[in-house]
Amino acid sequence: MSEHVSTILESASKNTSLPWLSAFRKNSMTRLQAGHWPAKKAEHWVHSPLSRIDNAFGQTVIDTDEPAELAHIEIADLGAIRMVFVDGIFDEEGSTLPENGWVEIVPFSQANDNQQLVIKTHLGQALELAENRQNHIFADINGALIEDGLLVHIAKNTLFSQPIHVVYQSTGNSSSVQNQSRLLVVLDTGAEATVIEHFVSAQNDDTNTLSNNVTELIVGDNANLNHYRLSIEEQGMVHIGAVHAYLSADSNLNSFVLNLGSWFKRTDFTIQHTASGSHSELAGMYLPHGEEHVDLRTFVEHRVPHCTSNEVIRGILDDQSKAVFNGRIHIHPQAQKTEANLSNKNLLLNQGAEVYTKPELEIYADDVRCSHGATVSQIQNEALYYMQTRGIPRKEAEIMLSYGFINELVANLKLEPLQAYLQPMLARLFTKDSSLLRHIG
Amino acid sequence: MLKISNLKARVEEKDILKGLDLDIKAGEVHAIMGPNGAGKSTLGYVLSGREGYEVTEGSMVMDGQDLSELSTEDRAKAGLFLAFQYPVEIPGVSNMEFLKASVDAVREYRGQDALDPMSFMKLAREKSKAVNLDQNFLKRGVNEGFSGGEKKRNELMQMMLLEPKVAILDETDSGLDIDALQVVAEGVNKLRSPDRAIIVVTHYQRLLDYIVPDYVHVLADGKIVKSGGKELALELEEKGYSWLEGEAK
């Protein structure tokens, strides 16, 4: 057993928070003991810079008297309910609690008996269905160590339009075993909600700050969930996260994932179509710079007939950054009339950038429609030349073309305030010179 | 307006232009015809300074300015416009963004004020109407999903917006049906001006019934081998190009 796992188990055994979750925690610890620490030969860790994970885990205790300065994270005009967690601990002062009773948005640490029951019922529900369950060791680390989490529970037929903005701030002042965050979203039959997960970190050159997150989205019959996951941490972070979605009959999941920054960022996103009529849309982008390494692995499972899924993932890599994308679709024999699409396109802006992309389709039903495609390209010289022949300076044309690569995904965001928040941020990634950005969007 | 002297150019180690001479005065329309592979498209690429196309000898001067000293974008700003035979599609950049960036760049170069978004919108709508393109295309990616005819009309619209000194229309008629051809020809004819020189590069004589040239040149084996009035085009249609090979030698 790895030395990290022993340390984790030791911390876990001393964890006295959320006693009503002790059974869940024990289960996580058992799985952890049988699990495998990331290793070079493991397919699900292939191309990963394992030393970056190991080093981050090596940071056990931080000794500092200085409270970290926390930026106030808010998206203008969103009018959201904001729930803030700092290094995994609920920040009541920084949060705005909901006013009505149709929705339950409550930290685990403040859950009443009914809410505890909801949590106990659904925690791990989506995760347990994940293929190769034993590979999800960080989910079990999370399960063993969490001291708090957030429950978002929308009651039957409640169409809750106010966005729920969950902010996870990492200060860099916590140890690797501490910074664990957990989100459980449960939509009952016919419910609707919008949840935005937002990961940020303090400006930090220290490449040993780690955050480990698990999010589960349980979407009930005929329910609709709009989900956004913005991972905008600074360069120093090591972020390991997962989203596991469980889709019931006739449900809809619309998800948008943005991965910026980070020394190493690994996101596993699994979607289980467990009942007919469900539809999932996953739009994602990763934009690493410098020597950042971003890893996105998606898995869509069609277990039953008549479900549709669509995945559009775009990557833009600059400098010497690396990206890994693995998009897997598994269609069971009985999943007839499935429609599943997957597209991954990558743009390399620099000779030193590298991307490994692997779409995988495993289809056992014979009456389905599937498509998948993966491309790696550089800025098209022909397009660049065309723009130059119209007088557009080369530098500006390059930026318009680079931004254009992801523009489609950003332009399709339904939440206008979010679009207004992200567009300038993304544009600035390509250049700090605003005169070169004036024609974008 | 455009003086090309003994222009020699090559691409990928292959000599394509082998001493081309052309003198075009403002207000004139010249047609360049010739067999395939003669270098008709290459002329446009070389004039615009496309990467990979190397000038080995000779000169190209537009309105007194030596083009070889300017970058591609500066040649465009200085007034050179090339309408492509197969315009590229750019899905991520909208026609609107592209056109505005282009017009802003050219206006700035000419010392004109940039158009505010509203005025530009108005101008863009006006011009798209003039070329029969539905305004909605402005929101879509550049040339995205366009038919050949629509792409050619987009080229024409850009020419209208940029008001160039020298316009080279590279096989603007290829692939168009007669209706589309007439729309394009009408547009080009409206752009004739005493301050402007237009070069129509074409493989087919038919276009020249609609855009009547002042002079017709035949480009064969990298050189202008024969020049004449508009009757030359008819002669070529009748006889083909092979009779010129004797003359070229």
Side-chain angles (χ1 to χ4, degrees):
Chain A
M1 179 193 303
S2 119
E3 140 201 342
H4 295 305
V5 176
S6 332
T7 313
I8 292 164
L9 287 170
E10 207 190 304
S11 288
S13 58
K14 295 186 201 145
N15 189 350
T16 53
S17 46
L18 310 174
W20 48 275
L21 271 186
S22 58
F24 173 77
R25 192 171 286 129
K26 277 209 176 62
N27 186 28
S28 300
M29 287 169 71
T30 308
R31 284 188 171 277
L32 196 47
Q33 280 167 326
H36 300 287
W37 191 255
K40 255 193 160 48
K41 295 198 186 127
E43 182 62 30
H44 57 288
W45 289 105
V46 79
H47 302 303
S48 302
L50 300 176
S51 57
R52 295 188 185 188
I53 305 173
D54 286 335
N55 289 341
F57 250 94
Q59 182 174 279
T60 43
V61 175
I62 309 300
D63 216 351
T64 176
D65 290 331
E66 283 179 44
E69 217 186 289
L70 292 175
H72 177 74
I73 304 295
E74 191 171 342
I75 297 172
D77 302 320
L78 191 59
I81 290 169
R82 195 169 68 249
M83 301 297 275
V84 182
F85 286 79
V86 178
D87 295 334
I89 307 299
F90 180 56
D91 175 22
E92 188 141 4
E93 247 184 77
S95 305
T96 61
L97 295 163
E99 287 164 12
N100 66 56
W102 300 116
V103 296
E104 293 178 302
I105 303 172
V106 59
F108 288 7
S109 51
Q110 294 180 14
N112 61 30
D113 289 342
N114 282 337
Q115 290 157 350
Q116 287 176 12
L117 188 57
V118 171
I119 296 169
K120 278 194 280 196
T121 306
H122 295 290
L123 204 59
Q125 179 181 13
L127 172 61
E128 286 318 303
L129 294 179
E131 199 184 47
N132 300 318
R133 172 65 181 84
Q134 69 282 1
N135 290 344
H136 294 267
I137 189 171
F138 282 93
D140 292 315
I141 292 173
N142 181 284
L145 293 174
I146 46 165
E147 290 175 24
D148 207 346
L150 183 68
L151 168 69
V152 172
H153 179 208
I154 314 290
K156 190 168 150 170
N157 295 328
T158 305
L159 309 179
F160 192 65
S161 57
Q162 190 180 10
I164 301 159
H165 187 195
V166 186
V167 181
Y168 308 94
Q169 286 182 294
S170 295
T171 62
N173 288 344
S174 71
S175 75
S176 56
V177 293
Q178 289 175 305
N179 196 352
Q180 311 286 326
S181 56
R182 189 118 188 171
L183 174 64
L184 176 64
V185 177
V186 180
L187 262 59
D188 289 345
T189 302
E192 237 173 70
T194 298
V195 176
I196 303 165
E197 300 187 87
H198 194 163
F199 297 87
V200 292
S201 65
Q203 188 82 31
N204 196 347
D205 289 327
D206 179 6
T207 57
N208 286 331
T209 312
L210 180 131
S211 83
N212 182 19
N213 155 270
V214 175
T215 292
E216 286 180 281
L217 309 173
I218 316 293
V219 190
D221 293 342
N222 211 30
N224 268 325
L225 177 61
N226 295 309
H227 169 246
Y228 302 87
R229 187 180 171 92
L230 315 174
S231 189
I232 309 178
E233 287 129 322
E234 296 298 326
Q235 274 187 313
M237 289 285 309
V238 171
H239 170 101
I240 302 182
V243 179
H244 298 284
Y246 180 105
L247 304 187
S248 312
D250 304 311
S251 61
N252 268 305
L253 172 65
N254 224 298
S255 225
F256 173 80
V257 174
L258 171 62
N259 281 344
L260 295 183
S262 283
W263 190 230
F264 177 61
K265 192 187 310 268
R266 163 73 178 247
T267 311
D268 281 85
F269 202 121
T270 74
I271 300 176
Q272 298 288 337
H273 286 268
T274 70
S276 293
S278 56
H279 175 73
S280 65
E281 285 279 346
L282 175 55
M285 337 187 235
Y286 40 88
L287 301 104
H289 282 240
E291 291 179 15
E292 292 166 359
H293 185 117
V294 70
D295 191 328
L296 175 62
R297 311 223 183 181
T298 67
F299 175 56
V300 179
E301 189 147 24
H302 287 267
R303 295 167 174 269
V304 292
H306 295 291
C307 296
T308 54
S309 65
N310 187 34
E311 224 180 303
V312 177
I313 311 288
R314 299 273 179 272
I316 303 184
L317 289 75
D318 206 347
D319 308 314
Q320 282 73 45
S321 63
K322 311 252 179 293
V324 177
F325 175 69
N326 179 208
R328 202 169 133 63
I329 299 177
H330 179 204
I331 301 176
H332 291 229
Q334 65 271 27
Q336 301 294 5
K337 304 294 183 193
T338 290
E339 203 176 304
N341 297 304
L342 166 62
S343 155
N344 174 232
K345 291 189 184 169
N346 298 282
L347 179 66
L348 303 182
L349 296 181
N350 196 297
Q351 292 264 44
E354 268 176 37
V355 64
Y356 302 90
T357 174
K358 184 167 90 163
E360 277 183 86
L361 258 66
E362 215 176 303
I363 307 173
Y364 295 102
D366 56 14
D367 187 7
V368 301
R369 281 215 301 248
C370 298
S371 74
H372 75 296
T375 64
V376 182
S377 60
Q378 293 155 293
I379 291 189
Q380 261 196 299
N381 277 328
E382 219 190 320
L384 199 54
Y385 166 63
Y386 186 70
M387 292 174 83
Q388 285 177 288
T389 61
R390 283 14 184 185
I392 301 171
R394 192 193 174 95
K395 197 68 204 148
E396 190 177 354
E398 279 175 354
I399 287 164
M400 286 173 81
L401 289 169
S402 303
Y403 188 81
F405 203 70
I406 48 165
N407 196 15
E408 196 192 345
L409 294 188
V410 182
N412 283 341
L413 286 176
K414 286 188 286 197
L415 267 186
E416 271 178 45
L418 183 59
Q419 201 184 85
Y421 178 75
L422 291 178
Q423 226 153 20
M425 181 196 296
L426 291 170
R428 273 195 303 273
L429 285 180
F430 299 103
T431 180
K432 301 283 177 283
D433 184 352
S434 52
S435 70
L436 295 174
L437 295 172
R438 61 203 168 117
H439 294 110
I440 287 180
Chain B
M1 185 58 95
L2 182 66
K3 191 167 168 65
I4 302 171
S5 310
N6 193 30
L7 189 63
K8 292 184 183 164
R10 59 183 184 165
V11 59
E12 279 169 19
E13 312 287 311
K14 202 171 158 219
D15 295 314
I16 308 279
L17 299 180
K18 301 174 185 173
L20 194 145
D21 293 299
L22 207 52
D23 191 354
I24 304 177
K25 300 200 172 36
E28 294 175 353
V29 175
H30 290 235
I32 297 182
M33 305 182 75
N36 286 328
K40 302 198 297 298
S41 287
T42 300
L43 177 59
Y45 296 153
V46 172
L47 286 172
S48 64
R50 183 171 189 165
E51 236 173 75
Y53 289 76
E54 190 194 339
V55 172
T56 52
E57 219 181 304
S59 67
M60 355 172 234
V61 180
M62 179 176 77
D63 198 16
Q65 233 179 345
D66 182 357
L67 288 178
S68 61
E69 290 173 352
L70 301 175
S71 65
T72 300
E73 55 257 40
D74 285 343
R75 296 184 200 194
K77 292 180 200 175
L80 180 70
F81 183 83
L82 176 56
F84 291 87
Q85 184 178 4
Y86 302 113
V88 73
E89 290 190 32
I90 312 178
V93 179
S94 74
N95 281 293
M96 185 62 99
E97 293 173 288
F98 168 70
L99 292 171
K100 181 138 206 312
S102 171
V103 170
D104 281 350
V106 170
R107 286 179 72 95
E108 192 182 330
Y109 186 88
R110 294 179 187 164
Q112 296 168 296
D113 286 325
L115 287 171
D116 64 272
M118 287 299 282
S119 307
F120 180 76
M121 203 45 177
K122 212 173 149 211
L123 182 65
R125 287 205 181 123
E126 198 186 293
K127 300 302 179 195
S128 55
K129 219 173 155 193
V131 296
N132 263 358
L133 279 173
D134 189 312
Q135 277 172 44
N136 284 323
F137 92 99
L138 291 167
K139 292 185 216 149
R140 297 204 326 249
V142 177
N143 291 323
E144 193 180 6
F146 270 11
S147 66
E150 284 167 328
K151 285 184 184 176
K152 298 285 165 69
R153 279 181 273 150
N154 195 6
E155 296 292 280
L156 184 60
M157 178 174 166
Q158 290 166 37
M159 186 172 153
M160 289 175 175
L161 285 168
L162 298 179
E163 298 177 332
K165 286 182 182 169
V166 173
I168 303 155
L169 310 177
D170 193 357
E171 312 243 9
T172 293
D173 57 323
S174 65
L176 298 185
D177 63 30
I178 201 71
D179 295 320
L181 184 65
Q182 285 179 316
V183 171
V184 171
E186 201 182 311
V188 174
N189 284 329
K190 285 214 181 94
L191 288 170
R192 286 178 188 248
S193 136
D195 308 312
R196 182 170 295 138
I198 299 177
I199 300 172
V200 178
V201 176
T202 181
H203 193 65
Y204 303 105
Q205 185 280 329
R206 187 184 58 166
L207 175 68
L208 304 178
D209 287 341
Y210 297 94
I211 306 178
V212 181
D214 300 304
Y215 297 95
V216 175
H217 309 274
V218 181
L219 207 176
D221 198 27
K223 283 198 198 141
I224 302 290
V225 298
K226 193 162 180 71
S227 299
K230 55 187 192 278
E231 324 73 41
L232 178 56
L234 293 161
E235 206 183 332
L236 288 167
E237 189 171 54
E238 247 185 72
K239 298 193 201 169
Y241 294 105
S242 45
W243 61 283
L244 285 167
E245 271 159 42
E247 304 230 2
K249 304 205 167 73

